[in-house]
Amino acid sequence: MTKKITPTRIIDAVGGTAKAARLSHSAMSTVSDWKHMEEIPPYKLVLLAYPAEVATKGRVGRKKLFPTLWSQIWPELENVK
């Protein structure tokens, strides 16, 4: 069973609220709001996508987070599963 990729899962994967705030250049209160609203703005999610992918060994991957845009954001992933 695959877990749903939620904002909380992404934030926890990168090391919690404080680290997600640093990585996304956001306030900790803003990151907490993302968890409660269950949405990370796409322009901030781009900054968290790679750290989340590394931390989860690909389970939360850039291609999964941006299924229609990943090739425009990260063209180097073209030949990566």
Side-chain angles (χ1 to χ4, degrees):
M1 179 177 198
T2 303
K3 290 182 183 178
K4 182 179 176 191
I5 301 173
T6 64
T8 298
R9 186 170 176 213
I10 294 164
I11 292 164
D12 290 347
V14 300
T17 302
K19 190 157 184 186
R22 283 193 302 278
L23 290 168
S24 66
H25 307 282
S26 303
M28 284 179 50
S29 60
T30 300
V31 175
S32 291
D33 288 345
W34 298 342
K35 289 171 96 172
H36 294 295
M37 294 184 313
E38 297 187 5
E39 183 176 356
I40 299 173
Y43 64 97
K44 295 295 186 171
L45 185 56
V46 166
L47 299 173
L48 298 175
Y50 179 72
E53 183 174 63
V54 171
T56 64
K57 297 180 176 138
R59 289 184 305 278
V60 175
R62 292 173 282 175
K63 286 183 174 183
K64 293 175 188 171
L65 292 171
F66 293 91
T68 60
L69 294 174
W70 67 264
S71 64
Q72 294 171 350
I73 303 167
W74 301 284
E76 69 277 10
L77 297 179
E78 187 65 40
N79 295 319
V80 177
K81 285 185 179 183

